[in-house]
Every structure is written in structure tokens, then in C-alpha cells.
Amino acid sequence: MLTTNRYGVGDGLLGLLEPLEVKGLTLRNRIVMPPMQSGRASFAGEVTNRLINFYVSRSIAVGLPIVEHSYIMPTGKIGPKQLGIYSDTLIEGFERLTSAIHNVGAPAVLQITHAGGVANRKVIGTQPAGPSERGKTRGLTVAELLQIADEFALAAERAIKAGFDGIELHGAHGYLLNQFFTPLLNKRNDEYGGSLENRMRFPLLVVQRVKARLGGKLLLYRLGSDDLAPNGTSVEDSVTFAKRLEDSGVDILDISGGMCGSEPKQLKHIKGYFLPQASEIKKAANVPVIGVGGIREAVYADKLVRDGVVDLVAVGRALLKDSKWAEKAVERLGTKAVDV
Ligand SMILES: Cc1cc2nc3c(=O)[nH]c(=O)nc-3n(C[C@H](O)[C@H](O)[C@H](O)COP(=O)(O)O)c2cc1C
């Protein structure tokens, strides 16, 4: 349900500072802090005070902070100081993180992930596995897929126990869920590979299992919407996938890149570089859509929401560089509205 426009500036459309209610949770504005690995977890993936400070200082005026990608099981780890949610023993540290974020008036969402074929062999101590055998990667068996889907669900349950208001499944940037969706990496010839329907099957299974453990909390999906490569994922396939995600209970769609990653070189100078894909998906979806990519200016972010291009705007590197980016944006846009 959308609330009325406090800063109403005449066009009747809502702006970046407008609250948004999603499934009973009120976001105070449309500014999203996208997940960004901070390198501040311990080697065992635990929350540290440095990590808490990183999020608290940036969440002060953010509507929806999404905490960085956290591995759901040891074989899905990519970096040495990656945050992890693979064991119940980690819940206590996350409780400190969620209450610190809540104390500055923001909800907290945790992104959970498995790196699949791009897991770090040195870090995991075994051969990485993805949808299909490829180079030094082996293909996962169906039994392993079912086990990984259960590990996603257990990780989600831990996150909710730790006080998160929702979780985001990392289905972008070439990680496991994205590896299944993209025809560039998924060469399986069983029911989990080949056709679009089959390539969606594993991510949708994970959505279904996770959803069952969320107890009504928010479920977000970060969708690798475009590989920017011949024969890769196209936005048409992503529109179909987005609708299926929505039908399966995803509450917010977060639209980023696929195998091209989150900051593709060929797009890096374009303001709002994944907005074309996000806007196509928004036209087809009935749930809120997050747009991301090279957004640094509050006025531009505000216009994206007012023009109905997306519902929420994620600002990553600008917020990384200036922890007060959101505070300044709220001040700037609030003043602007008063001036009108
Ligand atoms: C240092 C850094 C770490 C990142 N870590 C993650 C991550 O953990 N999960 C994820 O989905 N994206 C990650 N990203 C991608 C960002 O969420 C975002 O999509 C990207 O930076 C583009 O947005 P921007 O142009 O506003 O920075 C990371 C980006 C940066 C710069």
C-alpha cells in the first residue's frame, strides 16, 4: 500500500522520500543500501564490531539496508573474510548487528548466497561445484541440489531468528542461483537445465524452501537480469522469471546484472545502467522493484521514483564513499520540496 505524498510536488507521483509499505513493514523512504561485501567479517564469517559500525553509520537515513552476501554453507564461500550464516553459533553476532541497525530506525535484510562454481578452492578446501562440469568445476548431483536448497532455508531461518526483517537471495553476478539461470553456464540435460523452464527450476525450488521458513518476513530476490553476452540471459527471459518469482512469493525484486557482474566495464559510465532492465521488469511485475547501477545523485534517484521507472533506488559505491550520502539526500530533497 502506498501512502500519500508528503512532499507532493504536483505531478502526483511519489518520490524518493516517500515511505513504502511492503507486507506490513514500512520503509521510511525509497533509498536502498545494496549488499556490499565490506571485508569486515572474521575469517570464520562472524560479525565483528567493525562490521556493525560500517552498517550503522550508513543506515541512519536509509529506507532499506541490505547486509552483504553471506554464505549459507562452507562449500559456498568465495572470500576469506566473507560474512557467513552457515551455523546456529553465528546467530548471536547477527543479533547485535540487527539491533544496532534497528536502533537507527531502519529495518535490516540479509543477502544469502552460495558461490557454486566460483567458490574459492583455497578457502573451501575442496573442488568447487556448479550446475555443470566446466574447467576445474564439477557438476552438482540432484541430491546435492536438494541439500543446498535446504541449507538456504536453514540459513534464512537463522537470519530471521537473529532479528532480520527479511532476506535477499543472491541470484545475480554469476553466483550459484544465477549459474543455474544463465544458459552460458547451465549445460545440464536433466530437469534442472536446458529450457528456460528447467533453468528456473532450481532457483524457484530455493525460493519455495526459503519462503516456508521465513514466517511471513520479507523475501527479496536479486536477479541477474542480463548477461550482456551473446546467447546469455536476455531481459525477455528475466521478465518471465520475475513473474514466476513473484508467483512463488518474492516480495521485492532487486534487478542487477548476470554474468557481466554488478559493474560491467562497458556500462560503467552510464548513469542508472541497469535501469532499462529494471524498468522492463517493473512493467510486468506487481511487487516493488529496486533499480541499481551508477546512481550517485539524489535528484536523479528521486526522478526515477517519481517517473515510475522503479519503486526503490539502490545507491552502492556513493554510499560506500560517503557514509552520509542518504542523510544528505534526505536533507536536499526535503528542502527542495519545501521550496516548491
Ligand atoms: C565493494 C563492493 C562489494 C559488493 N558486494 C556485493 C554483494 O555482497 N552482493 C551483491 O549482490 N552485490 C554486491 N556488490 C554490487 C553492489 O550491490 C551494486 O550492485 C553495485 O555496486 C552497483 O551499484 P552502484 O553503482 O550504486 O555502486 C558490491 C559492490 C561493491 C562496490
Side-chain angles (χ1 to χ4, degrees), residues 34-37 68-69 111 170 173 222 256 262-263 273 292-295 314-317 320:
M36 285 182 288
Q37 167 153 19
E68 67 203 72
H69 69 164
Q111 187 185 54
H170 195 347
H173 314 158
R222 193 159 223 205
S256 188
S262 60
E263 299 122 63
Y273 52 78
V292 70
I295 301 165
V315 176
R317 284 164 295 172
L320 203 57

Side-chain angles (χ1 to χ4, degrees), residues 3-329:
T3 51
T4 51
N5 188 357
R6 224 163 96 224
Y7 298 113
V9 287
D11 58 7
L13 289 166
L14 309 170
L16 193 69
L17 299 190
E18 195 58 35
L20 177 71
E21 192 177 315
V22 194
K23 266 182 85 178
L25 185 74
T26 303
L27 311 182
R28 59 184 158 188
N29 61 44
R30 314 297 182 94
I31 305 170
V32 175
M33 175 177 176
M36 285 182 288
Q37 167 153 19
S38 64
R40 286 167 169 81
S42 73
F43 284 108
E46 296 143 314
V47 169
T48 62
N49 289 339
R50 282 182 71 224
L51 185 127
I52 294 176
N53 293 340
F54 174 80
Y55 284 100
V56 168
S57 60
R58 286 170 178 77
S59 299
I60 290 167
V62 166
L64 183 62
I66 306 177
V67 172
E68 67 203 72
H69 69 164
S70 303
Y71 59 103
I72 56 150
M73 59 197 291
T75 50
K77 185 172 183 179
I78 191 167
K81 285 191 172 181
Q82 189 184 355
L83 195 55
I85 182 104
Y86 57 89
S87 157
D88 288 353
T89 59
L90 300 160
I91 293 175
E92 205 182 314
F94 279 106
E95 276 169 353
R96 291 197 295 122
L97 175 63
T98 56
S99 53
I101 297 175
H102 288 156
N103 278 343
V104 294
V109 163
L110 181 69
Q111 187 185 54
I112 60 173
T113 190
H114 188 298
V118 297
N120 186 326
R121 191 183 180 126
K122 279 196 193 129
V123 170
I124 68 173
T126 183
Q127 187 182 17
S132 319
E133 193 184 320
R134 185 174 187 260
K136 292 184 175 161
T137 303
R138 68 176 180 84
L140 289 158
T141 65
V142 171
E144 285 175 313
L145 290 186
L146 301 178
Q147 193 213 340
I148 292 173
D150 282 338
E151 294 287 350
F152 265 106
L154 288 173
E157 197 172 31
R158 285 182 201 116
I160 301 308
K161 273 192 193 148
F164 281 99
D165 302 280
I167 67 110
E168 176 172 90
L169 290 171
H170 195 347
H173 314 158
Y175 290 88
L176 184 65
L177 298 180
N178 192 190
Q179 291 161 20
F180 269 84
F181 182 54
T182 178
L184 296 179
L185 292 187
N186 186 341
K187 306 289 180 194
R188 295 176 77 98
N189 46 27
D190 62 2
E191 72 267 40
Y192 293 100
S195 64
L196 172 61
E197 189 64 33
N198 284 354
R199 285 183 283 110
M200 293 189 294
R201 196 178 307 280
F202 178 60
L204 288 172
L205 173 73
V206 172
V207 165
Q208 188 192 26
R209 297 221 171 156
V210 163
K211 183 84 186 164
R213 302 285 187 110
L214 279 183
K217 300 287 184 185
L218 287 189
L219 177 56
L220 286 72
Y221 194 94
R222 193 159 223 205
L223 171 52
S225 60
D226 202 328
D227 288 336
L228 301 177
N231 307 316
T233 297
S234 65
V235 72
E236 288 77 25
D237 283 359
S238 294
V239 166
T240 304
F241 189 27
K243 286 197 272 191
R244 291 292 294 277
L245 288 166
E246 181 180 334
D247 291 346
S248 307
V250 167
D251 302 301
I252 299 180
L253 292 160
D254 181 3
I255 307 305
S256 188
M259 296 306 296
C260 58
S262 60
E263 299 122 63
K265 281 197 183 69
Q266 63 270 48
L267 299 184
K268 85 173 179 208
H269 300 298
I270 301 173
K271 187 159 93 169
Y273 52 78
F274 284 127
L275 268 295
Q277 292 85 346
S279 117
E280 275 312 297
I281 289 170
K282 181 170 160 53
K283 283 180 208 150
N286 294 306
V287 292
V289 171
I290 305 174
V292 70
I295 301 165
R296 292 183 180 83
E297 295 143 27
V299 172
Y300 172 66
D302 184 53
K303 186 166 160 48
L304 290 172
V305 177
R306 280 182 197 281
D307 290 350
V309 178
V310 284
D311 303 283
L312 295 140
V313 178
V315 176
R317 284 164 295 172
L319 190 56
L320 203 57
K321 202 168 145 204
D322 178 4
S323 62
K324 295 193 181 306
W325 189 94
E327 288 167 74
K328 290 176 187 170

